[in-house]
Amino acid sequence: MKKLFFYLIISNLFLISCTNNSESTIVDLMSKSFKIGINDKGSIIDFIDLETNKNYLSNDTSTFLMSLRIDNEIKIPQSATVKNDLITLIFENEIEAEIKVEEKDLYLTFELLSLTNKDAVDLIFWGPYSTTINKVIGETVGVVRGEEYAVGIQSLNIKTLGGYPWNESDRMPAFDIFREDDANEMHPKTDGSVLYRIEAAKPTSSGSSLQAYCRNRNQDRIIQDFNHEKIVAPAYDDGGVIGSKIALFGCPVEKALETIGEMEIAEGLPHPMINGQWGKIAPDAAAAYIITNFTEDDVEQAIDLTKKAGLKYLYHYGKTFENWGHFDLYKGEFPNGMEGLKMCVEKAEAQGIMVGTHLLSNFITTNDPYVTPIPDKRLAKVGSSIILANINASETEIPIKSPDFFNQMKNNSLKTVRVGNELIRYGKVSETSPWKLLDCQRGAFNTTASEHNSGEEIAKLLDHAYKVFLTNAELTIEMSETMAELYNKTGLRQISFDGLEGNRSTGLGTYGESLMPYTWYNSLSDDLKNHLIIDASRTTHFFWHIYSRMNWGEPWYGGFRESQTEYRFKNQAYFRRNYMPGMLGWFKMTSETSIEDIEWLLARASGYDAGYAFVAGFESIEQNGNSDEILELIGDWEKLRLGGSFTEKQKEIFRDSGKEFSLKKIKDNEWDLLKVNAEIFNHEKKIKQPGEPLYSTFEFNNIGNEQSLNFLLTAINCDASEIVMEINNYKEVKLPVVLKKGQIIKYTGGNKATVYDSNWQLIKEFDIDPSNFKVGKGENSVSFDCTFDKIDKESSIKLEIRTFENGEKIVLN
């Protein structure tokens, strides 16, 4: 139904067919490489590459420079005139829009200067501008790329939103219009499927479209958001649609990103730098980093951990703040407050390590001074009603005029209302009139229970499943400035904006999501703006100019190879088509993390040119017997990745998650890169007829020349003894150990095999004759048997066999 609604809107917008191209051209606007022609009906009639004279405007639909919406009806211009640098669009009922045009070397800008009857206009639309380009659609950045030429749109201020109001909350999630298969069907050449909201660029049946819009927010609106059918989006005074401004550009594909960078500087947009380079091209924008907990007392240990891993960024993970809202530092970790954190930052920076921390955006904890003892009037509201009777300080049933904003329970984690200076929690709303809040807890969150009079406002507060409250726009701005002050005073040089969607509590949709980081960034010192990494778990068209990268993928759902793996890899295609540095998300090291798993991650990171966050607590590092080797490998792979030492062919192979690799150091700045064939088998306890063999036979492929096979044996939920391996049906080897539950035998060639506990702590070694494990190139077999200490369907021995191709020499560039 929503898709049908979308197509009806578009059909309504494009009432005039492509025959408009025959109308008189009133102006040709040009940059060095791009020309836009506009006719006397306000239609754009060409997008011309000035070098080839090729027109990239689609002929399927008419494309208007700007349109309006009044009372939910799309209004297209009836005529257009031009005088000097002003284009005037005339709409029905004598509505006129004056648009200032500037022709720059690299792009063209359009700004709405005036509009008659402006308060009656709901929205203005820039575009959609239809193009024939369809190779790569950068839906967030707003750039579409063909084989040789790129066309782009950029919103030049925060209130001009990339996209189109496909739904009325300004959220525009991609799948409200397209399912993933729809997007691919309509645009099969897209570099991956559309994973995020379709905003400034969109695939179409004829190629692509570019679009932006601005909303008049002079009145309260009722919208759907936060799983609520009704929520008040309050009026917001930002000048309305006047001042909305965009840029359009066309250029060779290889110049598109450079053009945006130049535009940011010229137009006063955010242009964060990382150590003197623009954040979108700086190598450190995709740098891996360590996440660990540290305090004033053990920060040196965290710095040492980061240096051992060969990394330059250290991210505090723990209870950084006593509260969210005022962001008072947690005294258990920073007893000296801001000065203590500053000391940690300075100690790290003295050793070349930059420190950052995590921000859950506009989430406000219930212990914050914005909540208690006197709740701030700027806490976001779902909506309000009035009390219908006087109530005393102990009343547990509160009569209200309307239940509309109070009985929405899907995202109602705190069930809290504000009356005056009191917060009250309620159990439920009466099912019929007279409407009442029932089972009320008075004086919630250490506010003061008070008497209230009939007719007083009662406001349902908006909350989040994290058991926090949220902000209106004014409070979002204040919290952003508070966080900027922390960064300015301590010198923190990395931030992660998590939960930015919480800022939709402002009623501003994606505008609100950008408002917090935009305010924060503009409040930073110039020094910080030149040496700062900014990441986030989501983005918007305008926020693209602020953050260094997105970094999403959580480590809580499985091991390195299982936790949101496909999602992490699909993200990389989204990043590439939107000019974002590659990042793979968070990976958590445990005491049981293996070298093999680490190198699996490191190969993927190198293949995608992507950084990652390595979550490593002190306890896990201490318990894992592989820690030193793991940290050294992280540093080696990272140096080679950021140094550009891997070839494009090698990186393509690295992206195959089914392939494994190992890096062996030869000498300083020189390594052997080995391709690994890893095959995993399970030998289980069998119950068969008397005399029937109980062993298992597995076939494997040696991808290299003759070599001693490497293997790992892991006891799963059992003890195993009398372990026998037979290679190719004639070399029988008895392993002289009893393998306890969770223990591992590892053999990597030579005269010794090693027994480890589950944390890779050495238990013992035993002798191995390497000639017994010699296997030739190609197909081989191994038979395996053992005695289990118990009969259990969950008991097994995991056997991983690893063979290696001849190495390729890798030298650090």
Side-chain angles (χ1 to χ4, degrees):
M1 187 66 183
K2 289 182 178 179
K3 181 188 285 189
L4 177 61
F5 178 65
F6 165 69
Y7 287 126
L8 289 173
I9 290 177
I10 295 300
S11 298
N12 189 27
L13 181 60
F14 297 143
L15 291 174
I16 301 177
S17 73
C18 62
T19 58
N20 272 342
N21 291 356
S22 65
E23 302 289 349
S24 301
T25 299
I26 60 169
V27 66
D28 284 326
L29 304 170
M30 287 182 283
S31 67
K32 285 183 176 180
S33 58
F34 188 48
K35 178 173 79 74
I36 296 177
I38 299 176
N39 71 13
D40 59 3
K41 295 297 184 183
S43 290
I44 291 178
I45 56 174
D46 48 38
F47 277 171
I48 302 290
D49 173 359
L50 287 176
E51 184 171 335
T52 65
N53 206 36
K54 183 174 180 178
N55 187 1
Y56 287 97
L57 191 74
S58 172
N59 290 323
D60 287 358
T61 57
S62 285
T63 294
F64 299 99
L65 174 61
M66 194 190 81
S67 303
L68 312 174
R69 195 181 76 185
I70 300 175
D71 293 331
N72 279 329
E73 290 188 14
I74 307 296
K75 308 293 183 181
I76 60 176
Q78 305 295 299
S79 61
T81 61
V82 62
K83 183 178 181 181
N84 298 325
D85 62 351
L86 289 180
I87 296 175
T88 301
L89 300 179
I90 298 94
F91 298 83
E92 64 181 41
N93 299 324
E94 298 183 344
I95 294 176
E96 293 188 7
E98 282 194 329
I99 298 170
K100 181 180 179 181
V101 180
E102 290 189 71
E103 296 171 290
K104 307 291 182 78
D105 283 349
L106 300 178
Y107 56 93
L108 309 166
T109 68
F110 302 87
E111 181 180 6
L112 180 61
L113 290 188
S114 67
L115 180 66
T116 57
N117 202 18
K118 64 183 180 182
D119 290 338
V121 174
D122 304 324
L123 299 160
I124 64 164
F125 307 103
W126 300 102
Y129 308 119
S130 297
T131 87
T132 59
I133 296 173
N134 67 355
K135 183 182 179 184
V136 179
I137 311 297
E139 68 269 44
T140 299
V141 70
V143 179
V144 295
R145 287 173 270 174
E147 293 293 340
E148 298 176 346
Y149 202 69
V151 177
I153 188 171
Q154 293 291 291
S155 297
L156 296 183
N157 50 41
I158 190 172
K159 71 180 181 180
T160 305
L161 305 180
Y164 189 94
W166 287 294
N167 68 33
E168 285 303 300
S169 69
D170 296 342
R171 288 180 296 142
M172 297 173 295
F175 300 151
D176 278 4
I177 307 302
F178 300 106
R179 299 188 312 273
E180 187 170 339
D181 55 347
D182 292 328
N184 287 327
E185 180 182 349
M186 290 192 66
H187 185 58
K189 294 183 180 179
T190 300
D191 180 16
S193 59
V194 178
L195 295 179
Y196 293 86
R197 64 171 68 87
I198 293 173
E199 283 192 294
K202 181 178 72 66
T204 66
S205 58
S206 60
S208 58
S209 69
L210 301 168
Q211 53 271 325
Y213 73 105
C214 185
R215 185 184 294 280
N216 190 347
R217 303 179 187 275
N218 60 349
Q219 296 180 1
D220 291 356
R221 294 179 297 128
I222 302 295
I223 64 173
Q224 296 179 15
D225 210 345
F226 290 92
N227 282 326
H228 291 331
E229 290 296 317
K230 293 182 179 180
I231 183 171
V232 175
Y236 188 65
D237 184 9
D238 61 359
V241 295
I242 304 301
S244 179
K245 187 176 182 181
I246 64 163
L248 292 172
F249 68 90
C251 64
V253 165
E254 64 274 12
K255 294 288 187 181
L257 185 58
E258 179 183 335
T259 296
I260 297 175
E262 295 288 338
M263 186 190 304
E264 285 183 351
I265 296 169
E267 299 297 326
L269 295 174
H271 189 74
M273 309 288 279
I274 302 174
N275 304 322
Q277 288 182 285
W278 183 33
K280 288 298 185 293
I281 60 173
D284 279 354
Y289 58 102
I290 289 286
I291 296 181
T292 194
N293 191 17
F294 61 84
T295 68
E296 291 178 29
D297 293 333
D298 60 15
V299 65
E300 290 89 352
Q301 188 178 348
I303 294 168
D304 185 54
L305 169 61
T306 310
K307 291 173 67 177
K308 280 184 177 180
L311 305 180
K312 295 189 294 184
Y313 289 88
L314 169 61
Y315 182 93
H316 183 264
Y317 182 60
K319 189 174 179 181
T320 309
F321 303 108
E322 294 272 4
N323 46 47
W324 300 337
H326 282 73
F327 303 113
D328 299 311
L329 290 166
Y330 175 50
K331 290 182 173 53
E333 296 186 358
F334 301 103
N336 293 301
M338 208 173 287
E339 285 303 313
L341 177 56
K342 181 180 179 182
M343 176 269 294
C344 294
V345 170
E346 290 173 346
K347 282 185 177 180
E349 197 161 339
Q351 299 191 56
I353 306 298
M354 304 295 108
V355 177
T357 192
H358 195 75
L359 175 66
L360 272 164
S361 297
N362 70 326
F363 292 10
I364 298 179
T365 50
T366 58
N367 67 332
D368 190 86
Y370 285 131
V371 175
T372 183
I374 298 176
D376 197 291
K377 302 296 191 292
R378 298 168 297 174
L379 294 174
K381 299 184 291 187
V382 178
S384 301
S385 185
I386 60 171
I387 297 173
L388 293 182
N390 296 338
I391 59 172
N392 61 34
S394 59
E395 188 70 53
T396 61
E397 294 187 357
I398 301 176
I400 57 175
K401 184 177 181 179
S402 170
D404 285 357
F405 299 114
F406 302 83
N407 59 6
Q408 302 175 103
M409 298 298 181
K410 282 186 179 178
N411 188 24
N412 191 357
S413 300
L414 292 173
K415 295 182 181 176
T416 301
V417 298
R418 179 183 57 77
V419 187
N421 290 331
E422 181 186 0
L423 295 182
I424 302 169
R425 301 183 76 178
Y426 62 96
K428 60 182 179 180
V429 182
S430 60
E431 296 182 1
T432 59
S433 178
W435 305 111
K436 293 182 179 181
L437 302 184
L438 305 176
D439 191 23
C440 294
Q441 299 176 18
R442 305 296 302 276
F445 307 114
N446 294 316
T447 60
T448 300
S450 308
E451 295 181 355
H452 301 288
N453 297 322
S454 177
E456 276 192 61
E457 180 187 71
I458 181 168
K460 170 66 181 72
L461 295 187
L462 187 60
D463 60 41
H464 184 275
Y466 280 23
K467 300 286 188 179
V468 292
F469 294 113
L470 300 168
T471 57
N472 73 4
E474 183 184 346
L475 192 51
T476 284
I477 291 170
E478 184 169 294
M479 284 175 59
S480 307
E481 292 169 343
T482 299
M483 180 54 69
E485 182 182 13
L486 176 70
Y487 270 68
N488 286 331
K489 288 186 176 180
T490 63
L492 288 164
R493 296 194 183 272
Q494 183 179 352
I495 193 168
S496 179
F497 282 100
D498 196 4
L500 275 175
E501 66 275 12
N503 285 284
R504 296 202 313 271
S505 63
T506 58
L508 301 175
T510 55
Y511 182 174
E513 290 183 39
S514 300
L515 183 62
M516 173 165 259
Y518 183 60
T519 304
W520 171 83
Y521 177 80
N522 287 334
S523 303
L524 295 177
S525 68
D526 289 340
D527 178 60
L528 272 183
K529 291 178 182 177
N530 286 316
H531 302 89
L532 189 65
I533 288 182
I534 306 162
D535 75 27
S537 59
R538 59 192 285 122
T539 186
T540 66
H541 174 65
F542 190 82
F543 184 35
W544 185 95
H545 296 289
I546 302 171
Y547 68 90
S548 312
R549 65 201 183 194
M550 280 183 65
N551 190 33
W552 208 95
E554 297 180 351
W556 324 119
Y557 309 109
F560 276 28
R561 306 174 194 235
E562 295 87 26
S563 187
Q564 300 180 325
T565 305
E566 287 305 312
Y567 187 82
R568 297 174 191 266
F569 296 156
K570 285 185 178 181
N571 277 345
Q572 307 315 305
Y574 168 74
F575 298 158
R576 284 195 302 274
R577 63 181 184 260
N578 285 286
Y579 296 116
M580 303 181 195
M583 293 296 289
L584 286 174
W586 291 27
F587 292 85
K588 187 174 188 290
M589 180 175 175
T590 70
S591 59
E592 298 181 3
T593 299
S594 69
I595 291 168
E596 291 75 20
D597 281 347
I598 287 291
E599 290 208 282
W600 179 88
L601 160 63
L602 298 174
R604 307 294 83 81
S606 297
Y608 287 105
D609 281 327
Y612 53 89
F614 192 65
V615 184
F618 295 150
E619 185 176 353
S620 296
I621 292 290
E622 183 179 348
Q623 291 176 352
N624 191 310
N626 288 329
S627 288
D628 288 343
E629 189 173 351
I630 284 172
L631 296 174
E632 183 178 3
L633 282 167
I634 288 173
D636 288 348
W637 279 88
E638 185 75 351
K639 279 188 293 188
L640 293 170
R641 178 177 74 85
L642 293 180
S645 298
F646 296 117
T647 67
E648 289 303 314
K649 183 177 180 181
Q650 287 167 336
K651 287 191 282 189
E652 182 181 355
I653 299 171
F654 289 159
R655 291 195 290 270
D656 185 340
S657 60
K659 289 184 168 59
E660 301 202 24
F661 303 86
S662 185
L663 204 59
K664 304 297 181 186
K665 194 164 191 174
I666 301 171
K667 58 183 180 181
D668 284 350
N669 297 331
E670 193 173 306
W671 292 261
D672 242 353
L673 176 67
L674 304 174
K675 183 178 178 182
V676 182
N677 183 44
E679 300 187 50
I680 296 176
F681 309 101
N682 277 287
H683 172 71
E684 299 175 347
K685 176 73 174 178
K686 300 181 180 68
I687 301 174
K688 295 189 175 183
Q689 297 178 13
E692 187 176 356
L694 299 178
Y695 61 80
S696 299
T697 299
F698 309 112
E699 293 185 351
F700 64 92
N701 181 37
N702 173 18
I703 62 174
N705 296 324
E706 184 180 71
Q707 59 187 279
S708 291
L709 65 84
N710 287 206
F711 65 85
L712 294 94
L713 290 173
T714 306
I716 309 296
N717 197 37
C718 66
D719 295 350
S721 58
E722 297 180 312
I723 299 171
V724 179
M725 297 175 69
E726 186 175 273
I727 309 300
N728 291 325
N729 295 318
Y730 77 101
K731 290 183 182 179
E732 183 176 279
V733 183
K734 295 181 179 179
L735 304 185
V737 294
V738 174
L739 198 60
K740 299 291 187 180
K741 178 181 177 181
Q743 290 181 352
I744 304 155
I745 297 173
K746 185 171 184 177
Y747 177 63
T748 57
N751 299 315
K752 299 286 185 182
T754 309
V755 181
Y756 297 98
D757 67 14
S758 60
N759 296 331
W760 298 100
Q761 296 291 341
L762 175 65
I763 295 174
K764 65 178 179 179
E765 294 182 329
F766 61 90
D767 292 332
I768 284 282
D769 182 351
S771 64
N772 287 333
F773 290 96
K774 289 284 185 185
V775 292
K777 185 178 179 67
E779 293 298 321
N780 293 268
S781 68
V782 58
S783 297
F784 183 90
D785 200 3
C786 69
T787 298
F788 290 95
D789 69 327
K790 59 183 178 180
I791 298 175
D792 189 325
K793 64 179 180 180
E794 302 296 330
S795 298
S796 66
I797 299 292
K798 184 175 79 171
L799 169 61
E800 181 173 347
I801 292 176
R802 297 170 68 84
T803 59
F804 303 84
E805 274 189 358
N806 293 336
E808 299 176 61
K809 183 187 290 186
I810 306 292
V811 177
L812 180 65
N813 290 333

